[in-house]
């Protein structure tokens, strides 16, 4: 199911420029192309943040539940387990950084 959804989103992202490029008239082709590239930038930034946050949420859920289970048995493991949760949260920050770089460049 996940592979099918990813494939559909990838095909949609790759073909959206070709679909919208046909709407531009000959007189305003340059203006239409600029709008399309700006739209693709925003779409790419949204996908970067969205996928990074989904992946970060999944990682925090799995690591956090395992860390809480380990700490319930041995409270001394809290200092060793919690940094891994922070590393998983960092995935979201990297997605945001990529989105900012896409929008700036």
């Amino acid at each position: 199911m996940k592979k099918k959804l990813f494939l559909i989103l990838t095909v949609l992202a790759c073909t959206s420029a070709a679909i919208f490029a046909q709407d531009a008239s000959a007189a305003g082709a340059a203006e239409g192309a600029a709008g399309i590239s700006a739209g693709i930038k925003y779409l790419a930034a949204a996908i970067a943040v969205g996928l990074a946050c989904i992946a970060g949420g999944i990682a925090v859920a799995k690591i956090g539940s395992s860390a809480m289970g380990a700490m319930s048995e041995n409270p001394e493991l809290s200092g060793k387990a919690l940094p891994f949760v922070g590393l998983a949260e960092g995935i979201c920050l990297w997605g945001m950084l990529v989105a900012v770089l896409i929008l700036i460049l």
Side-chain angles (χ1 to χ4, degrees):
M1 179 66 183
K2 291 179 185 178
K3 290 181 182 180
K4 289 181 184 179
L5 181 63
F6 179 73
L7 180 65
I8 290 170
L9 289 175
T10 304
V11 170
L12 181 66
C14 292
T15 59
S16 63
I19 292 170
F20 292 119
Q22 295 174 357
D23 292 340
S25 65
E31 183 178 311
I36 292 170
S37 65
I40 296 290
K41 281 174 59 171
Y42 291 125
L43 182 64
I47 290 172
V49 171
L51 290 179
C53 288
I54 289 171
I58 292 170
V60 166
K62 290 186 179 190
I63 294 171
S65 65
S66 299
M68 290 296 129
M71 285 189 291
S72 68
E73 294 178 7
N74 188 0
E76 297 172 357
L77 292 177
S78 64
K80 295 179 181 177
L82 289 180
F84 290 110
V85 177
L87 288 173
E89 290 177 5
I91 295 171
C92 300
L93 296 175
W94 282 107
M96 185 66 165
L97 177 66
V98 168
V100 168
L101 289 174
I102 288 172
L103 293 175
I104 290 174
L105 301 176

